[in-house]
């Protein structure tokens, strides 16, 4: 057990060093990886596909949004919140949640749904129909989950670990988003 604890501590220290040296790269990799994992969970658990029939191209497209947009955007956003609102305290956390949920969440979800549709090769008209069909439902579901997560995140978690905490919770969120954006609808 002591050997495991030492290896775990070494892994955490390695992660901390990487995070300090390359915060955007680390955030991009962990976000993309967790989005890929969420898509695989969606395909195997919710859609009940065997591993043999997983659509890995779909997984790669979904995860690329995390690598290219999600991880870097979250890191920049949390840095801006820290810079302009503050880094600690109850009122600071509440203000951050408010700004996050009023500005970032609606904008990022629209960007995410647009990116997924574009990567699925949807026409502009079908993309708009998908957004009309899904956006408000996804945003409403967001408001059930994320304000509480973000309140804990902004109050208790140091800036450099905030994206990691969000992405651990987002594993389940990404599973939901993958299912929501890939299910067959009347538009197909």
């Amino acid at each position: 057990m002591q050997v495991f604890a030492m290896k775990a501590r070494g892994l955490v220290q390695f992660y901390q060093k990487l995070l300090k040296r390359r915060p955007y790269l680390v955030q991009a990799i962990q976000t993309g990886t967790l989005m890929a994992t969420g898509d695989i969970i969606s395909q195997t658990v919710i859609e009940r596909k065997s591993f043999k029939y997983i659509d890995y191209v779909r997984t790669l497209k979904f995860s690329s949004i995390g690598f290219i947009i999600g991880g870097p955007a979250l890191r920049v956003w949390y840095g801006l919140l820290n810079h302009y609102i503050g880094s600690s305290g109850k009122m600071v956390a509440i203000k951050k949640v408010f700004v996050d949920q009023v500005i970032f969440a609606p904008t990022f979800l629209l960007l995410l749904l647009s990116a997924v549709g574009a990567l699925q090769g949807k026409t502009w008209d079908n993309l708009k129909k998908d957004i009309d069909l899904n956006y408000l439902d996804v945003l409403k579901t967001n408001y059930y989950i994320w304000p509480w997560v973000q309140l804990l995140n902004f109050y208790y978690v140091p800036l450099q670990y905030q994206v990691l905490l969000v992405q651990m919770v987002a594993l389940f969120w990404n599973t939901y988003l993958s299912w929501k954006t890939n299910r067959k609808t009347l538009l197909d």
Side-chain angles (χ1 to χ4, degrees):
M1 188 61 141
Q2 200 170 21
V3 172
F4 175 75
M6 286 174 44
K7 287 185 183 207
R9 193 178 5 236
L11 190 59
V12 168
Q13 289 171 343
F14 176 71
Y15 173 78
Q16 288 171 328
K17 269 188 210 173
L18 272 179
L19 192 57
K20 195 171 201 162
R21 282 198 354 232
R22 304 258 193 249
Y24 293 96
L25 178 63
V26 170
Q27 306 296 358
I29 290 169
Q30 75 190 21
T31 304
T33 302
L34 288 165
M35 286 187 77
T37 305
D39 182 68
I40 290 171
I41 292 169
S42 174
Q43 290 188 56
T44 56
V45 176
I46 297 172
E47 299 166 39
R48 301 188 185 276
K49 291 180 184 177
S50 73
F51 278 99
K52 188 169 141 181
Y53 297 107
I54 289 176
D55 181 350
Y56 289 105
V57 172
R58 170 183 143 178
T59 301
L60 182 62
K61 288 177 182 179
F62 194 68
S63 70
S64 70
I65 296 167
F67 286 119
I68 297 166
I69 300 168
L74 286 169
R75 181 64 182 96
V76 167
W77 179 245
Y78 291 161
L80 288 171
L81 289 175
N82 239 34
H83 180 75
Y84 289 105
I85 297 176
S87 60
S88 63
K90 288 178 187 172
M91 284 310 297
V92 166
I94 291 168
K95 287 176 189 176
K96 283 181 173 182
V97 170
F98 178 78
V99 172
D100 182 66
Q101 293 301 303
V102 169
I103 295 172
F104 187 80
T107 307
F108 186 73
L109 289 174
L110 182 61
L111 177 64
L112 180 91
L113 292 175
S114 299
V116 169
L119 288 173
Q120 291 171 339
K122 293 187 176 174
T123 65
W124 178 250
D125 287 337
N126 279 345
L127 184 63
K128 283 173 49 180
K129 288 177 187 173
D130 269 2
I131 289 170
D132 288 344
L133 183 69
N134 290 319
Y135 179 72
L136 288 178
D137 189 43
V138 170
L139 186 60
K140 185 171 79 170
T141 304
N142 166 83
Y143 289 137
Y144 287 124
I145 300 166
W146 288 107
W148 308 108
V149 171
Q150 293 293 46
L151 188 61
L152 294 172
N153 195 30
F154 294 140
Y155 188 66
Y156 291 109
V157 180
L159 176 64
Q160 68 267 26
Y161 301 117
Q162 287 176 355
V163 174
L164 177 61
L165 175 77
V166 163
Q167 289 306 316
M168 290 185 331
V169 175
L171 179 60
F172 302 101
W173 179 248
N174 293 335
T175 300
Y176 163 75
L177 286 176
S178 176
W179 166 78
K180 187 79 170 166
T181 58
N182 286 287
R183 67 194 169 113
K184 296 295 178 193
T185 67
L186 297 174
L187 302 174
D188 295 334

